[in-house]
Amino acid sequence: MRIHFKTSYQHDIRLFPDRWTLSVYGALLVLAFALPYLIGEFYLGEVTNVLIWAIAGLGLMLLTGQTGQASLGHAAFLAIGCYANTILIEQGVPFIIAFPLAGIITGFVGLLIAIPVLRLHGIYLAIATIALSVLADDIIVLTEHWSGGVSGKFPEMITIFGFEIERWSMPSRFYYLVLVVTIICTLFYRNLLRSPLGRAFAAVRDSEVSATAMGVHIARTKGKAFGLSCMITGWAGALMGYYAGTFNNETFSLVISITLLMMIVIGGLGSIHGAFFGAIVVAFLPQALSILKDNVVGSGVAIPGLETGVFGMILILFILFEPMGIYGRWLKIRTWFELFPFARKDMFRRQKSYLKTERLR
């Protein structure tokens, strides 16, 4: 006689909750690998851009969505990963070593910065991380000998065991490289959530007082979250440099940090799906606005601030009406259909009361 024990974390402990979910993601993976044969080079480049933003979103999601630490300075770590990868390759290090090492270097720098910064909370933490983006801009200009300053750098062609990959002349090869990195980062994130460290991240996010009572070392857990978050972000920065073709101190500005935070809020905080949904919005919305503007007011007319204004309006609407983001809305729709006809209107009413432990953070 076989006895099955079920817990409230059953769906999180298993990599795939059931065979149906496994088959869906398997089909999605097959579609992803077949995509270069189904669409043109322009749209393949846009999908590649979505995947790079998704990797960056996973990095910030690990810190903000999973651990509850707001950051407006992750553009600095995108820059560190990008410049570290390029400089290592210029020094003769093969890409297969330089790329992972760039992420590790970025994670180590993030861990060092986390020691003083993560003693802050709330708006003060956000202000401190904003300072990182400003400092990164100045440091890139001052270290012109290494970074190229305002003139920037041009990343060399990627070579893996004699196999050349270039973003412009070989878009399908570059797409496959980004896809493989995306899969690795996603599996790493997913398995991290299933580990005791991932549970500790969630405990710190929900209530630091309760997490301390359960034996979680708050400072150490925050430091690990910051380091791992920066490591993934560094890999995204390296790929972003290859995608852009050239980069300087203005490539990784404060606007990128704000866009990253907005992306995970719109996609859905605390979920892997949210990083991908948010990346789709960030990557394709500017193209959609450009096409709409050309059809409405003409191709030669510029509307200053249009993209920023639309992004801000979307963010405000999501905060007011759907704080759980696109993925949260999808979960509500799916739950409604699963419970039909027993679903009720007030089933997803937002809770406006807080635990005492949450007020003592």
Side-chain angles (χ1 to χ4, degrees):
M1 178 178 176
R2 182 177 299 177
I3 301 176
H4 297 278
F5 294 96
K6 294 184 179 180
T7 68
S8 58
Y9 297 109
Q10 180 184 10
H11 294 294
D12 292 331
I13 292 175
R14 299 177 60 184
L15 187 60
F16 298 101
D18 48 51
R19 292 182 179 179
W20 168 253
T21 305
L22 176 61
S23 62
V24 169
Y25 286 114
L28 186 62
L29 191 61
V30 170
L31 177 63
F33 276 99
L35 206 58
Y37 302 99
L38 303 177
I39 59 177
E41 291 185 356
F42 172 78
Y43 292 104
L44 186 64
E46 293 300 312
V47 174
T48 304
N49 189 31
V50 169
L51 294 180
I52 295 174
W53 276 104
I55 297 172
L58 287 174
L60 184 58
M61 186 75 77
L62 183 61
L63 182 66
T64 303
Q66 194 63 31
T67 318
Q69 309 302 310
S71 173
L72 286 171
H74 258 51
F77 301 108
L78 286 171
I80 293 174
C82 182
Y83 279 97
N85 177 75
T86 302
I87 293 173
L88 286 172
I89 291 178
E90 289 176 348
Q91 298 302 314
V93 180
F95 174 83
I96 197 70
I97 299 176
F99 182 75
L101 196 57
I104 294 173
I105 292 173
T106 308
F108 181 73
V109 173
L111 184 60
L112 293 179
I113 294 175
I115 295 175
V117 168
L118 289 181
R119 295 179 181 272
L120 304 173
H121 297 274
I123 187 64
Y124 304 104
L125 176 60
I127 293 173
T129 54
I130 288 176
L132 295 178
S133 290
V134 179
L135 285 173
D137 189 299
D138 294 336
I139 290 173
I140 291 172
V141 174
L142 293 174
T143 57
E144 184 177 356
H145 176 71
W146 290 95
S147 64
V150 295
S151 300
K153 278 186 171 293
F154 300 87
E156 299 180 5
M157 181 179 293
I158 302 171
T159 304
I160 303 177
F161 302 119
F163 191 75
E164 295 183 344
I165 300 175
E166 208 274 329
R167 181 260 188 270
W168 300 103
S169 60
M170 309 170 188
S172 59
R173 293 184 182 182
F174 185 70
Y175 165 77
Y176 282 126
L177 173 65
V178 175
L179 179 61
V180 170
V181 175
T182 305
I183 294 172
I184 293 173
C185 290
T186 304
L187 289 176
F188 172 77
Y189 190 111
R190 176 58 180 158
N191 281 282
L192 184 64
L193 297 186
R194 301 161 63 210
S195 69
L197 182 59
R199 304 292 181 190
F201 290 165
V204 171
R205 175 195 62 197
D206 293 339
S207 175
E208 292 183 11
V209 175
S210 300
T212 304
M214 291 187 293
V216 176
H217 195 291
I218 302 298
R220 189 179 303 161
T221 303
K222 287 183 177 181
K224 291 178 181 178
F226 208 93
L228 293 173
S229 170
C230 293
M231 181 180 69
I232 298 176
T233 305
W235 288 330
L239 294 174
M240 202 171 286
Y242 282 113
Y243 183 83
T246 180
F247 50 88
N248 59 6
N249 61 306
E250 297 181 354
T251 303
F252 305 99
S253 62
L254 179 60
V255 176
I256 299 296
S257 296
I258 297 174
T259 303
L260 271 177
L261 184 60
M262 180 189 68
M263 181 181 76
I264 62 174
V265 171
I266 292 176
L269 280 173
S271 65
I272 295 176
H273 300 79
F276 286 88
F277 288 141
I280 292 173
V281 173
V282 167
F284 283 110
L285 185 59
Q287 301 293 339
L289 290 177
S290 178
I291 294 173
L292 182 63
K293 178 181 70 67
D294 292 344
N295 292 331
V296 174
V297 298
S299 58
V301 181
I303 304 178
L306 174 63
E307 183 178 323
T308 305
V310 172
F311 271 123
M313 181 185 66
I314 292 175
L315 180 60
I316 292 172
L317 292 176
F318 269 97
I319 292 175
L320 291 177
F321 300 105
E322 189 47 80
M324 295 179 66
I326 297 174
Y327 184 61
R329 173 55 57 181
W330 157 247
L331 289 179
K332 291 178 181 179
I333 294 174
R334 188 181 68 180
T335 303
W336 190 89
F337 277 105
E338 288 176 350
L339 297 178
F340 184 83
F342 303 105
R344 293 294 178 264
K345 181 180 179 181
D346 296 334
M347 188 166 56
F348 302 110
R349 182 181 294 273
R350 293 176 60 188
Q351 181 180 352
K352 297 183 180 181
S353 61
Y354 299 90
L355 298 175
K356 184 178 181 181
T357 54
E358 292 174 340
R359 294 199 299 267
L360 293 176
R361 291 182 64 176

